C-alpha cells in the first residue's frame, strides 16, 4: 500500500495490519526498540515505524541504514509520541535494497548547491519533495482550470523555422555533421531542408487555434540561448500561453487574475504540509502571502499613471522613472506596495513591446499588460493582439521583419479577423513565487543553464 | 457568450436574448430570410442562425461571406427544422471581420493533403475541430488519471547530453556558428560546453523521480531524427512515460489497462458529437471499437506462447514467426483477432529489447511487455526495470555503452534499489487509434517530418 492511501484512510486502517514499501529517511535504534522515519514519497510527512526486541531479527533491523529500501508489515496505531498522529508497529521487515554508508543524502541540512550536484537524488530530500510536488500540482491545476473553462490544450511545435517573436537568441537544431562543415552550410541537406531552431514561444501558432476554437492555451517547453547566469534565467523552461478570441484586454486581465487565484488556491488545498514546511524553512510568511493573493482585488493602472506615481514618490530612485520607458525592479516593488497587492499595469509604450500588440488610438502605446505581484515583481505579461491587417503589416515593416515567413500569421487578420487577446506565464516564475525558492535551478528537475547540462 | 455555454444552458436560455461571436461556416441567403451556420469553435455542432427581412440591414447581411467573423444578437429558440435542437433568431448583426471570396476553407470536402498545406486554417474545419478537441481531451484525461492516482507529473529535460536509450538518431542542439566551422568542432565553446541533443525519451530521468515519489509520469515532447516518411512517424511527438516503484510487470500492466480505459471513456463522454462525426466520416465503427476496448479484459500471454500460436496457425505468413525474434504487423493483427481483444505480450527475447529491462531467470528473456490492440497494433510498451546493480552493469558493458555517462542511473540501483516498472505511450499513436485518422500528420497541429517544418 502506498502512503498516500494509508494517510487518506488512516481512520479505517487503525488497528489493522498493512504492508508498505519505501525508504528509510532516518533511523534511531535504541537498546530495546527503534524508530524509523519512513517514506515512499507519495505523502509529504513520513510514517513513523516503531519496532522492538520482540522481533526475531531485531539485531539485524537495528543495522538498517538511511536510504535503504524496505518492506514493512505492521499494525497501524495512534502515535503516543508528539509530532505525528499515526505510527506503524512493525511485525515484519524485509530489506529490499541496501544503501551504503557513503549515501550522499544523509539526514542533515545540505546546501542547495550541493543538492544540485546530485540532482538525481535530490527529489528524495524534503525541500524537493515539497517543491516538485507543488510543481506537479500547479501543472495539474492549470490544466484543470483551462479544461473546466472550455479551453483547447494546444501543443505548440518545439522545432521551428522562424524566430517569430524576435525574443532573443535561439538554439539551432540540426542533423548536419558539424565536423564535416568547411565554412559553408547547405541547409538543403539539413533534416528539414532549412535552418531550424527551438521555439521561444508558441503564441503565434496558438493564435491560429484561438481563431478556430476561441479559447486555447499552450503548456510546453520553450528555450532561450541567452548567456545569462542569474537566479531567474534558465535555457529551457515551461510556458503557459492562453489565447482567446472575442476577448479584449480587460477580459484578458479577468482570466489572468482568475487563473492565478485558482492555481494558488488549488495548491494550498492539496499540499498543506508542503506549504507549512516551505513557510517554516524557506520563506517566512509564504502561506499568508499566497492567501492574501487569493482574496485581493488586483488593481488596474496604466503605465502612464504608474510613472506619475513613481515621479511623485518621495523616493531616491536608482533608475529615474520616465514616461515612454520601461520600469525597473525597484519601481515594480514600490507599485505593489503602493497599492498593497497585485497590480496590472496596462497600455505600455509601443517601442518597448512586441510587434503583435494592439496599437492604441494615441499612436504611442499598445494594449499590453504586465502583472506585478508583491515580493516577486512581474509574473505574467499579456496583450490584446493587433487584429487589423494593415496596422500589423505596417508595424512589421517598420521593424524590418521578414513578412514572407509570417504571411500565415498576417492572414489570420484577413480571414474573419476579430478582437483577441492572450498572455504568457513562465511556469518556473510561478513556482518561484509559489514555493519561495529563489533560484530557478531549484524548481526545475534537471535545469539547463549556460555550460550546464547534466543528467 | 461562448457557444459551449449556450449549448450547456440551452434550456434556461430558451426565449432569452443572447449575444454571440464567431465565424460563418455556411450561409444560405434566400429572398426573404436566411440561414447561417455559425460557430465559435467551443462546441462541435454549429448554431443555426435565422434572420429575415424585418432586419433593417437585411440586404447587407445576405452578402456576408463564409469565414467572416460576426457578432449576433438574437433570441434563442427551439428549432423547427431538422438537424438541430436550437437556433438563434437574429435581431442584430455586426460584421467584425470580413473574409475574401478566395478564402481557402470553403464549405466543401477538402483533401487532407490540401488541408495540411493550410495547417494554420485547418483547425477551423470540422475534421480538425474534432481531432484537436479530442487531442486536448485525451491530454486532460491523462493528467486527470495520474493526478487522481497520486502520480507526480515530471517534466523531463528536453535538451540532453546523452543518447540514453540508444533509441535512434538524434537532433543536435547548438549555438556554434556553423558557417564558421572549418572541419573542427570545439564543443567547449558550445552553449553547454559539450555536445547536446534533443531527448528521445524521459524514462531514465523519470526513474529518478519514481525512486523518490514512487509514482511519477512524464508528458512532454520527444524527438527522433529518423528519415522515415511514413504515416506513423513524426520527428517531433509527445510521449507519456509513467514510472512506478514497488510495482512489478503485472502491476505495470494493470496500470496500462486502467489508464487506457479511463482515457477512452473520458473522451467518449466529453466529445459525443465529435466521435459521431468521426464514426460517420473517418472510421466506420469507431465508437463500437472504443466501447469494446473499455469493456474487454486484456489478455496476457508470453512472447513464446504467441510464437507457438502463430506457428500453429493455418496462415501463410509473409514473415515466418520465430522464437527469439520480433513479430511483424501481420502477427500483431492475428493475435488480437485470435484473442478477440487487446493483448499484452510479455517476456520478450532480451536481444531485441532495451538494456534497462529486467532480466528473467531464464537468461534469455526480459520482463518487457507490448500492448497490442485490435486494428492498431502496438499501442504501448513497458517493462519492469532491472533493479540489480551488477546485472545492469554487465548488460551495459555487453552492449558497449558509455558507463561513465550513466553512473547516476546505475547508482539508483546502489542507493536503496527496489522493484520498479514503467511504460511509454506515444500520444499521437493513441490519437490515431482514438480518432481513426490514419496519418500522424493529421493529429499534430504543426507536424515536423523530414523536409517539412512549416508554420
Amino acid at each position: 500500500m502506498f502512503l498516500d492511501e494509508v494517510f487518506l484512510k488512516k481512520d479505517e486502517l487503525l488497528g489493522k495490519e498493512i504492508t508498505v514499501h519505501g525508504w528509510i529517511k532516518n533511523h534511531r535504534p535504541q537498546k530495546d526498540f527503534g524508530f524509523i522515519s519512513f517514506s515512499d514519497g507519495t505523502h509529504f510527512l513520513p510514517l513513523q515505524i516503531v519496532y522492538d526486541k520482540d522481533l526475531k531479527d531485531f539485531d539485524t533491523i537495528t543495522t538498517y541504514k538511511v536510504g535503504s529500501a524496505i518492506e514493512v508489515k505492521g499494525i497501524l496505531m495512534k502515535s503516543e509520541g508528539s509530532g505525528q498522529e499515526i505510527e506503524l508497529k512493525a511485525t515484519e521487515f524485509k530489506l529490499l535494497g541496501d544503501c551504503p554508508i557513503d549515501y550522499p543524502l544523509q539526514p542533515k541540512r545540505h546546501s542547495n548547491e550541493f543538492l544540485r550536484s546530485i540532482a538525481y537524488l535530490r527529489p528524495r530530500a524534503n525541500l524537493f519533495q515539497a517543491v516538485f510536488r507543488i510543481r506537479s500540482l500547479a501543472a495539474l491545476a492549470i490544466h484543470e482550470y483551462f479544461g473546466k473553462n472550455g479551453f483547447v490544450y494546444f501543443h505548440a511545435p518545439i522545432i521551428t523555422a522562424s524566430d517569430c517573436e524576435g525574443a532573443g537568441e535561439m538554439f539551432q537544431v540540426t542533423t548536419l555533421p558539424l565536423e564535416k562543415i568547411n565554412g559553408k552550410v547547405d541547409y538543403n541537406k539539413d533534416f528539414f531542408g532549412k535552418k531550424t531552431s527551438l521555439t521561444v514561444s508558441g503564441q503565434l501558432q496558438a493564435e491560429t487555434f484561438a481563431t478556430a476554437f476561441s479559447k486555447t492555451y499552450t503548456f510546453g517547453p520553450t528555450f532561450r540561448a541567452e548567456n545569462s547566469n542569474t537566479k531567474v534565467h534558465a535555457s529551457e523552461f515551461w510556458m503557459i500561453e492562453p489565447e482567446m478570441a472575442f476577448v479584449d484586454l480587460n477580459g484578458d486581465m479577468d482570466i489572468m487574475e482568475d487563473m492565478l487565484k485558482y492555481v494558488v488556491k488549488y495548491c494550498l488545498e492539496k499540499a498543506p504540509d508542503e506549504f507549512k514546511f516551505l513557510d517554516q524553512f524557506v520563506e517566512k510568511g509564504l502561506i499568508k502571502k499566497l492567501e492574501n493573493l487569493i482574496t485581493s482585488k488586483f488593481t488596474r493602472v496604466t503605465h502612464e499613471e504608474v510613472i506619475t506615481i513613481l515621479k511623485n514618490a518621495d523616493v531616491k530612485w536608482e533608475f529615474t522613472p520616465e514616461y515612454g520607458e520601461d520600469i525597473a525592479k525597484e519601481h515594480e516593488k514600490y507599485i505593489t506596495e503602493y497599492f498593497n497587492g497585485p497590480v496590472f499595469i496596462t497600455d505600455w509604450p509601443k517601442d518597448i513591446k512586441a510587434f503583435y500588440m494592439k496599437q492604441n488610438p494615441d499612436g504611442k502605446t499598445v494594449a499590453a499588460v504586465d502583472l506585478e505581484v508583491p515580493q516577486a515583481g512581474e509574473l505574467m505579461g499579456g496583450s490584446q493582439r493587433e487584429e487589423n491587417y494593415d496596422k500589423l503589416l505596417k508595424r512589421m515593416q517598420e521593424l524590418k521583419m521578414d513578412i514572407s515567413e509570417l504571411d500565415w500569421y498576417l492572414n489570420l487578420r484577413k480571414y474573419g479577423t476579430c478582437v483577441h487577446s492572450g498572455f504568457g506565464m513562465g511556469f518556473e516564475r510561478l513556482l518561484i513565487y509559489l514555493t519561495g525558492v529563489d533560484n530557478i535551478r531549484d524548481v526545475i528537475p534537471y535545469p539547463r543553464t549556460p555550460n550546464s547540462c547534466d543528467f
Side-chain angles (χ1 to χ4, degrees), chain A residues 1-4 20-23 25 38-43 129:
Chain A
M1 193 179 284
F2 287 110
L3 290 193
D4 52 354
V20 291
H21 307 81
W23 296 274
K25 298 294 169 179
F38 170 91
S39 177
D40 64 10
T42 62
H43 188 80
Q129 285 271 310

Side-chain angles (χ1 to χ4, degrees), chain A residues 168-214:
Chain A
E169 292 178 67
M170 298 174 87
F171 289 102
Q172 188 169 349
V173 174
T174 183
T175 54
L176 291 171
L178 266 50
E179 58 292 343
K180 288 190 186 157
I181 293 176
N182 265 301
K184 242 191 168 169
V185 188
D186 182 1
Y187 283 114
N188 287 318
K189 293 195 176 135
D190 208 347
F191 191 87
F192 296 107
K194 57 174 96 167
K195 188 173 175 179
T196 53
S197 312
L198 292 177
T199 186
V200 294
S201 160
Q203 180 205 313
L204 303 196
Q205 291 97 341
E207 286 185 42
T208 70
F209 261 52
T211 51
F213 291 101
S214 280

Side-chain angles (χ1 to χ4, degrees), chain A residues 311-339:
Chain A
K311 280 187 175 296
N312 291 339
D314 189 18
V315 177
K316 197 161 161 52
W317 299 116
E318 192 184 340
F319 301 95
T320 311
E322 285 299 346
Y323 297 104
E325 287 179 18
D326 208 350
I327 62 173
K329 281 262 161 249
E330 57 178 338
H331 306 144
E332 295 177 358
K333 189 166 179 296
Y334 182 85
I335 283 296
T336 56
E337 283 164 8
Y338 182 89
F339 287 108

Side-chain angles (χ1 to χ4, degrees), chain A residues 35 55 87 176 194 210 223 246 260 289 301 307 326 355 374:
Chain A
F35 295 106
L55 294 184
E87 61 189 24
L176 291 171
K194 57 174 96 167
F223 306 84
F246 311 112
L260 182 60
K289 174 187 89 176
V301 286
I307 300 292
D326 208 350
F355 76 95

Side-chain angles (χ1 to χ4, degrees), chain A residues 10 17 41 46 97 121 128 153 183 189 249 252 366 396 413 447:
Chain A
K10 61 176 187 295
E17 186 182 75
L121 293 177
F128 294 94
Y153 178 25
K189 293 195 176 135
L249 191 66
D252 203 21
V366 287
M396 290 169 75
R413 281 74 183 162

Side-chain angles (χ1 to χ4, degrees), chain A residues 379-396:
Chain A
L379 197 56
M380 302 186 222
S383 74
Q384 196 171 321
R385 316 309 189 190
E386 182 55 76
E387 84 271 15
N388 182 290
Y389 186 93
D390 296 325
K391 284 189 190 168
L392 182 61
L393 178 65
K394 188 155 166 270
R395 186 70 184 140
M396 290 169 75

Side-chain angles (χ1 to χ4, degrees), chain A residues 148-424:
Chain A
K148 274 187 181 170
N149 287 289
F151 284 67
V152 168
Y153 178 25
F154 164 64
H155 286 135
I158 309 297
I159 300 173
T160 172
S162 59
D163 173 4
C164 288
E165 243 201 303
E169 292 178 67
M170 298 174 87
F171 289 102
Q172 188 169 349
V173 174
T174 183
T175 54
L176 291 171
L178 266 50
E179 58 292 343
K180 288 190 186 157
I181 293 176
N182 265 301
K184 242 191 168 169
V185 188
D186 182 1
Y187 283 114
N188 287 318
K189 293 195 176 135
D190 208 347
F191 191 87
F192 296 107
K194 57 174 96 167
K195 188 173 175 179
T196 53
S197 312
L198 292 177
T199 186
V200 294
S201 160
Q203 180 205 313
L204 303 196
Q205 291 97 341
E207 286 185 42
T208 70
F209 261 52
T211 51
F213 291 101
S214 280
K215 297 182 279 189
T216 190
Y217 70 107
T218 74
F219 191 168
T222 50
F223 306 84
R224 300 276 160 90
E226 221 176 303
N227 199 358
S228 309
N229 255 309
T230 78
K231 286 186 168 188
V232 294
H233 285 89
S235 310
E236 176 180 313
F237 54 98
W238 285 62
M239 284 253 283
I240 297 102
E241 298 184 284
E243 288 288 326
M244 294 78 66
F246 311 112
V247 166
D248 63 11
L249 191 66
N250 271 310
D252 203 21
M253 288 187 273
D254 292 342
I255 295 167
M256 290 162 87
E257 182 171 341
D258 195 41
M259 181 209 69
L260 182 60
K261 288 177 173 174
Y262 186 92
V263 172
V264 172
K265 200 157 173 271
Y266 182 101
C267 291
L268 281 176
E269 279 171 12
K270 301 263 181 179
D273 299 322
E274 285 82 346
F275 280 103
K276 259 179 239 157
F277 174 87
L278 295 170
D279 196 303
Q280 190 175 354
F281 294 107
V282 178
E283 182 183 324
K284 300 268 179 257
L286 175 69
I287 295 175
K288 191 85 204 120
K289 174 187 89 176
L290 296 173
E291 286 174 346
N292 282 345
L293 182 100
I294 296 173
T295 52
S296 62
K297 175 86 189 94
F298 294 13
T299 305
R300 300 180 183 193
V301 286
T302 66
H303 176 269
E304 193 178 344
E305 288 164 335
V306 163
I307 300 292
T308 302
I309 291 166
L310 295 172
K311 280 187 175 296
N312 291 339
D314 189 18
V315 177
K316 197 161 161 52
W317 299 116
E318 192 184 340
F319 301 95
T320 311
E322 285 299 346
Y323 297 104
E325 287 179 18
D326 208 350
I327 62 173
K329 281 262 161 249
E330 57 178 338
H331 306 144
E332 295 177 358
K333 189 166 179 296
Y334 182 85
I335 283 296
T336 56
E337 283 164 8
Y338 182 89
F339 287 108
N340 192 27
V343 181
F344 285 118
I345 305 178
T346 66
D347 302 293
W348 289 73
K350 74 173 179 183
D351 290 330
I352 61 170
K353 289 289 179 182
F355 76 95
Y356 49 70
M357 295 184 176
K358 182 165 176 63
Q359 297 157 42
N360 284 331
D362 63 14
K364 287 186 228 165
T365 61
V366 287
V369 60
D370 280 1
L371 173 65
E372 308 286 347
V373 295
Q375 288 159 267
E378 191 195 331
L379 197 56
M380 302 186 222
S383 74
Q384 196 171 321
R385 316 309 189 190
E386 182 55 76
E387 84 271 15
N388 182 290
Y389 186 93
D390 296 325
K391 284 189 190 168
L392 182 61
L393 178 65
K394 188 155 166 270
R395 186 70 184 140
M396 290 169 75
Q397 285 166 337
E398 277 170 16
L399 295 169
K400 299 189 172 33
M401 293 176 65
D402 185 351
I403 310 289
S404 69
E405 269 202 354
L406 287 174
D407 57 343
W408 57 273
Y409 183 70
L410 269 162
N411 280 351
L412 295 179
R413 281 74 183 162
K414 197 156 87 184
Y415 301 138
T417 192
C418 63
V419 165
H420 63 292
S421 302
F423 63 92

